[in-house]
Amino acid sequence: MKNISILSASVRNGRNSHRVALYFKQYLEENKLANVTIIDLKEYNFPIFEERLRFISDPSEAMLSFANEVTKADGIILVTPEYNGGYPASLKNAIDLLYAEWKRKPIAIASVSAGAFAGAQVLTSLQFSLWKIGALTIPAMFPVGTVEKTFDENGIPSDVAGTDKRAAVFINELMYWVDAKHKMETE
């Protein structure tokens, strides 16, 4: 079974994007699609970026743990809120900490906002940053607008059938790229 990590990017008090991370964990586990881990940046409490992990002489246990989680994941679902048209500093900080760990890692992006545009503005800058470090962002997206109305605090969507249908397409695309990467590595 594949190992999929869900990176929950917000560290904000009262964050709502984490609801979507919880949903994907439940969806993947209930459908027996993958072994799932949530990488919650709120739990890591990283200092402001000073240097890539490989150049830090005495990295914290949290930094090493984060690098290990990213490395062992076959694919990542990155759940990010949109703050003022961009992604949170906590996510940029975490992306910049690593380099080789992101190389050719299949990443599916779920963008989340309180408004109706569903985090659409965050996609360009986030994809560019991930592309620059060699990550493989998949073409399918999972935009979530008005998150407080569409997901409860436990990750249960208000429209289960419709959300599950969208999630199936999104997850199938991620799994396709995970399989393609694996196939390329074994040939």
Side-chain angles (χ1 to χ4, degrees):
M1 193 173 288
K2 295 172 185 73
N3 294 313
I4 300 297
S5 289
I6 302 164
L7 199 158
S8 185
S10 179
V11 299
R12 188 181 201 173
N13 290 331
R15 64 190 175 162
N16 288 312
S17 60
H18 193 67
R19 298 171 181 209
V20 178
L22 294 173
Y23 164 75
F24 278 117
K25 184 175 189 319
Q26 294 164 10
Y27 180 86
L28 288 163
E29 289 176 344
E30 287 173 6
N31 290 287
K32 297 176 178 46
L33 298 173
N35 298 314
V36 184
T37 302
I38 290 185
I39 302 171
D40 187 352
L41 293 184
K42 190 168 185 151
E43 293 177 7
Y44 283 95
N45 195 25
F46 290 133
I48 297 297
F49 175 78
E50 291 178 350
E51 188 55 81
R52 290 198 194 277
L53 179 62
R54 69 179 183 213
F55 298 121
I56 297 173
S57 60
D58 190 24
S60 71
E61 195 59 41
M63 291 174 177
L64 296 173
S65 171
F66 175 68
N68 183 54
E69 290 297 330
V70 170
T71 299
K72 74 180 185 181
D74 295 312
I76 294 177
I77 298 172
L78 200 160
V79 179
T80 184
E82 180 180 282
Y83 295 158
N84 303 315
Y87 55 96
S90 54
L91 179 55
K92 180 67 169 139
N93 205 38
I95 290 170
D96 288 346
L97 179 65
L98 306 180
Y99 188 78
E101 295 85 350
W102 297 118
K103 188 77 171 174
R104 295 189 182 106
K105 182 72 64 177
I107 299 177
I109 301 171
S111 58
V112 181
S113 77
F117 294 114
Q121 293 177 335
V122 74
L123 295 174
T124 303
S125 59
L126 181 54
Q127 283 183 309
F128 184 77
S129 291
L130 292 168
W131 170 73
K132 289 295 286 182
I133 59 174
L136 174 64
T137 58
I138 69 159
M141 301 292 163
F142 195 88
V144 176
T146 59
V147 66
E148 306 87 14
K149 295 177 185 175
T150 54
F151 287 87
D152 73 13
E153 61 279 350
N154 298 311
I156 308 298
S158 56
D159 175 10
V160 174
T163 304
D164 285 355
K165 185 176 179 181
R166 286 190 330 118
V169 172
F170 181 69
I171 297 298
N172 284 340
E173 187 73 11
L174 175 61
M175 296 304 190
Y176 172 87
W177 289 104
V178 166
D179 288 341
K181 179 185 178 218
H182 179 70
K183 187 175 183 180
M184 288 174 24
E185 290 174 342
T186 58
E187 289 182 349

mmCIF file of all heavy atoms in Angstrom, residues 89-109:
data_model
loop_
_atom_site.group_PDB
_atom_site.id
_atom_site.type_symbol
_atom_site.label_atom_id
_atom_site.label_comp_id
_atom_site.label_asym_id
_atom_site.label_seq_id
_atom_site.Cartn_x
_atom_site.Cartn_y
_atom_site.Cartn_z
ATOM 1 N N ALA A 89 3.507 31.796 5.352
ATOM 2 C CA ALA A 89 4.953 31.769 5.584
ATOM 3 C C ALA A 89 5.391 30.441 6.182
ATOM 4 O O ALA A 89 6.496 29.963 5.903
ATOM 5 C CB ALA A 89 5.353 32.925 6.502
ATOM 6 N N SER A 90 4.535 29.815 6.972
ATOM 7 C CA SER A 90 4.874 28.514 7.565
ATOM 8 C C SER A 90 5.156 27.479 6.480
ATOM 9 O O SER A 90 6.060 26.657 6.624
ATOM 10 C CB SER A 90 3.735 28.029 8.463
ATOM 11 O OG SER A 90 2.501 28.009 7.747
ATOM 12 N N LEU A 91 4.426 27.542 5.391
ATOM 13 C CA LEU A 91 4.641 26.593 4.295
ATOM 14 C C LEU A 91 5.916 26.929 3.528
ATOM 15 O O LEU A 91 6.712 26.045 3.229
ATOM 16 C CB LEU A 91 3.431 26.574 3.357
ATOM 17 C CG LEU A 91 3.538 25.632 2.167
ATOM 18 C CD1 LEU A 91 3.837 24.204 2.594
ATOM 19 C CD2 LEU A 91 2.247 25.685 1.348
ATOM 20 N N LYS A 92 6.134 28.191 3.230
ATOM 21 C CA LYS A 92 7.367 28.594 2.530
ATOM 22 C C LYS A 92 8.579 28.195 3.358
ATOM 23 O O LYS A 92 9.569 27.689 2.839
ATOM 24 C CB LYS A 92 7.357 30.105 2.270
ATOM 25 C CG LYS A 92 8.588 30.630 1.561
ATOM 26 C CD LYS A 92 8.690 30.138 0.144
ATOM 27 C CE LYS A 92 9.781 30.901 -0.601
ATOM 28 N NZ LYS A 92 10.570 30.046 -1.451
ATOM 29 N N ASN A 93 8.496 28.400 4.649
ATOM 30 C CA ASN A 93 9.557 28.025 5.581
ATOM 31 C C ASN A 93 9.861 26.527 5.488
ATOM 32 O O ASN A 93 11.023 26.117 5.403
ATOM 33 C CB ASN A 93 9.096 28.397 6.998
ATOM 34 C CG ASN A 93 10.212 28.640 7.962
ATOM 35 O OD1 ASN A 93 11.236 29.202 7.613
ATOM 36 N ND2 ASN A 93 9.996 28.219 9.191
ATOM 37 N N ALA A 94 8.817 25.715 5.481
ATOM 38 C CA ALA A 94 8.977 24.251 5.430
ATOM 39 C C ALA A 94 9.495 23.795 4.067
ATOM 40 O O ALA A 94 10.332 22.887 3.989
ATOM 41 C CB ALA A 94 7.656 23.567 5.761
ATOM 42 N N ILE A 95 9.007 24.403 3.011
ATOM 43 C CA ILE A 95 9.486 24.043 1.669
ATOM 44 C C ILE A 95 10.975 24.334 1.560
ATOM 45 O O ILE A 95 11.753 23.507 1.100
ATOM 46 C CB ILE A 95 8.694 24.791 0.576
ATOM 47 C CG1 ILE A 95 7.263 24.249 0.498
ATOM 48 C CG2 ILE A 95 9.395 24.684 -0.778
ATOM 49 C CD1 ILE A 95 6.332 25.076 -0.373
ATOM 50 N N ASP A 96 11.396 25.519 1.987
ATOM 51 C CA ASP A 96 12.789 25.935 1.848
ATOM 52 C C ASP A 96 13.748 25.143 2.732
ATOM 53 O O ASP A 96 14.927 25.045 2.416
ATOM 54 C CB ASP A 96 12.937 27.426 2.149
ATOM 55 C CG ASP A 96 12.346 28.291 1.046
ATOM 56 O OD1 ASP A 96 12.073 27.763 -0.056
ATOM 57 O OD2 ASP A 96 12.161 29.491 1.281
ATOM 58 N N LEU A 97 13.256 24.578 3.819
ATOM 59 C CA LEU A 97 14.108 23.801 4.719
ATOM 60 C C LEU A 97 14.713 22.587 4.000
ATOM 61 O O LEU A 97 15.847 22.212 4.245
ATOM 62 C CB LEU A 97 13.318 23.343 5.952
ATOM 63 C CG LEU A 97 14.066 22.504 6.973
ATOM 64 C CD1 LEU A 97 15.192 23.312 7.626
ATOM 65 C CD2 LEU A 97 13.101 21.974 8.026
ATOM 66 N N LEU A 98 13.941 21.995 3.102
ATOM 67 C CA LEU A 98 14.374 20.787 2.403
ATOM 68 C C LEU A 98 14.696 21.104 0.951
ATOM 69 O O LEU A 98 14.321 22.144 0.439
ATOM 70 C CB LEU A 98 13.264 19.726 2.465
ATOM 71 C CG LEU A 98 12.737 19.375 3.846
ATOM 72 C CD1 LEU A 98 11.644 18.326 3.737
ATOM 73 C CD2 LEU A 98 13.842 18.920 4.769
ATOM 74 N N TYR A 99 15.351 20.182 0.298
ATOM 75 C CA TYR A 99 15.597 20.330 -1.135
ATOM 76 C C TYR A 99 15.505 18.961 -1.826
ATOM 77 O O TYR A 99 14.551 18.684 -2.520
ATOM 78 C CB TYR A 99 16.945 20.994 -1.417
ATOM 79 C CG TYR A 99 17.117 21.335 -2.874
ATOM 80 C CD1 TYR A 99 16.484 22.451 -3.408
ATOM 81 C CD2 TYR A 99 17.865 20.529 -3.714
ATOM 82 C CE1 TYR A 99 16.605 22.765 -4.755
ATOM 83 C CE2 TYR A 99 17.987 20.825 -5.067
ATOM 84 C CZ TYR A 99 17.359 21.950 -5.579
ATOM 85 O OH TYR A 99 17.470 22.250 -6.910
ATOM 86 N N ALA A 100 16.480 18.108 -1.582
ATOM 87 C CA ALA A 100 16.498 16.794 -2.242
ATOM 88 C C ALA A 100 15.246 15.979 -1.893
ATOM 89 O O ALA A 100 14.766 15.196 -2.708
ATOM 90 C CB ALA A 100 17.754 16.020 -1.841
ATOM 91 N N GLU A 101 14.704 16.185 -0.712
ATOM 92 C CA GLU A 101 13.525 15.438 -0.270
ATOM 93 C C GLU A 101 12.303 15.728 -1.151
ATOM 94 O O GLU A 101 11.394 14.899 -1.267
ATOM 95 C CB GLU A 101 13.202 15.759 1.196
ATOM 96 C CG GLU A 101 14.269 15.317 2.172
ATOM 97 C CD GLU A 101 15.413 16.328 2.358
ATOM 98 O OE1 GLU A 101 15.498 17.326 1.595
ATOM 99 O OE2 GLU A 101 16.226 16.120 3.265
ATOM 100 N N TRP A 102 12.262 16.910 -1.754
ATOM 101 C CA TRP A 102 11.143 17.302 -2.611
ATOM 102 C C TRP A 102 11.329 16.832 -4.059
ATOM 103 O O TRP A 102 10.362 16.782 -4.823
ATOM 104 C CB TRP A 102 10.975 18.818 -2.648
ATOM 105 C CG TRP A 102 10.630 19.465 -1.354
ATOM 106 C CD1 TRP A 102 11.372 20.389 -0.676
ATOM 107 C CD2 TRP A 102 9.436 19.298 -0.578
ATOM 108 N NE1 TRP A 102 10.737 20.788 0.470
ATOM 109 C CE2 TRP A 102 9.538 20.136 0.554
ATOM 110 C CE3 TRP A 102 8.294 18.513 -0.724
ATOM 111 C CZ2 TRP A 102 8.548 20.217 1.521
ATOM 112 C CZ3 TRP A 102 7.301 18.597 0.242
ATOM 113 C CH2 TRP A 102 7.437 19.429 1.347
ATOM 114 N N LYS A 103 12.551 16.500 -4.449
ATOM 115 C CA LYS A 103 12.869 16.183 -5.844
ATOM 116 C C LYS A 103 11.979 15.063 -6.385
ATOM 117 O O LYS A 103 11.943 13.962 -5.827
ATOM 118 C CB LYS A 103 14.348 15.783 -5.956
ATOM 119 C CG LYS A 103 14.837 15.623 -7.359
ATOM 120 C CD LYS A 103 15.071 16.960 -7.995
ATOM 121 C CE LYS A 103 15.776 16.791 -9.321
ATOM 122 N NZ LYS A 103 15.898 18.024 -10.021
ATOM 123 N N ARG A 104 11.257 15.356 -7.434
ATOM 124 C CA ARG A 104 10.355 14.424 -8.118
ATOM 125 C C ARG A 104 9.293 13.810 -7.200
ATOM 126 O O ARG A 104 8.765 12.734 -7.482
ATOM 127 C CB ARG A 104 11.137 13.333 -8.829
ATOM 128 C CG ARG A 104 11.989 13.859 -9.950
ATOM 129 C CD ARG A 104 12.598 12.748 -10.776
ATOM 130 N NE ARG A 104 13.440 13.311 -11.805
ATOM 131 C CZ ARG A 104 14.769 13.280 -11.777
ATOM 132 N NH1 ARG A 104 15.397 12.684 -10.787
ATOM 133 N NH2 ARG A 104 15.463 13.833 -12.743
ATOM 134 N N LYS A 105 8.977 14.490 -6.109
ATOM 135 C CA LYS A 105 7.928 14.017 -5.195
ATOM 136 C C LYS A 105 6.573 14.430 -5.773
ATOM 137 O O LYS A 105 6.322 15.618 -5.985
ATOM 138 C CB LYS A 105 8.119 14.648 -3.813
ATOM 139 C CG LYS A 105 7.133 14.209 -2.759
ATOM 140 C CD LYS A 105 7.364 12.803 -2.288
ATOM 141 C CE LYS A 105 8.696 12.658 -1.601
ATOM 142 N NZ LYS A 105 8.926 11.316 -1.079
ATOM 143 N N PRO A 106 5.681 13.474 -6.062
ATOM 144 C CA PRO A 106 4.349 13.849 -6.540
ATOM 145 C C PRO A 106 3.576 14.592 -5.435
ATOM 146 O O PRO A 106 3.437 14.091 -4.314
ATOM 147 C CB PRO A 106 3.689 12.507 -6.858
ATOM 148 C CG PRO A 106 4.831 11.563 -7.073
ATOM 149 C CD PRO A 106 5.894 12.031 -6.118
ATOM 150 N N ILE A 107 3.113 15.787 -5.786
ATOM 151 C CA ILE A 107 2.402 16.628 -4.826
ATOM 152 C C ILE A 107 1.087 17.086 -5.438
ATOM 153 O O ILE A 107 1.065 17.649 -6.538
ATOM 154 C CB ILE A 107 3.244 17.851 -4.409
ATOM 155 C CG1 ILE A 107 4.533 17.387 -3.737
ATOM 156 C CG2 ILE A 107 2.449 18.771 -3.484
ATOM 157 C CD1 ILE A 107 5.483 18.512 -3.348
ATOM 158 N N ALA A 108 0.001 16.841 -4.718
ATOM 159 C CA ALA A 108 -1.329 17.290 -5.097
ATOM 160 C C ALA A 108 -1.700 18.464 -4.196
ATOM 161 O O ALA A 108 -1.526 18.381 -2.978
ATOM 162 C CB ALA A 108 -2.326 16.153 -4.933
ATOM 163 N N ILE A 109 -2.186 19.541 -4.787
ATOM 164 C CA ILE A 109 -2.463 20.754 -4.019
ATOM 165 C C ILE A 109 -3.961 20.945 -3.813
ATOM 166 O O ILE A 109 -4.728 20.977 -4.778
ATOM 167 C CB ILE A 109 -1.869 21.994 -4.706
ATOM 168 C CG1 ILE A 109 -0.355 21.839 -4.864
ATOM 169 C CG2 ILE A 109 -2.208 23.263 -3.921
ATOM 170 C CD1 ILE A 109 0.292 22.916 -5.723
#
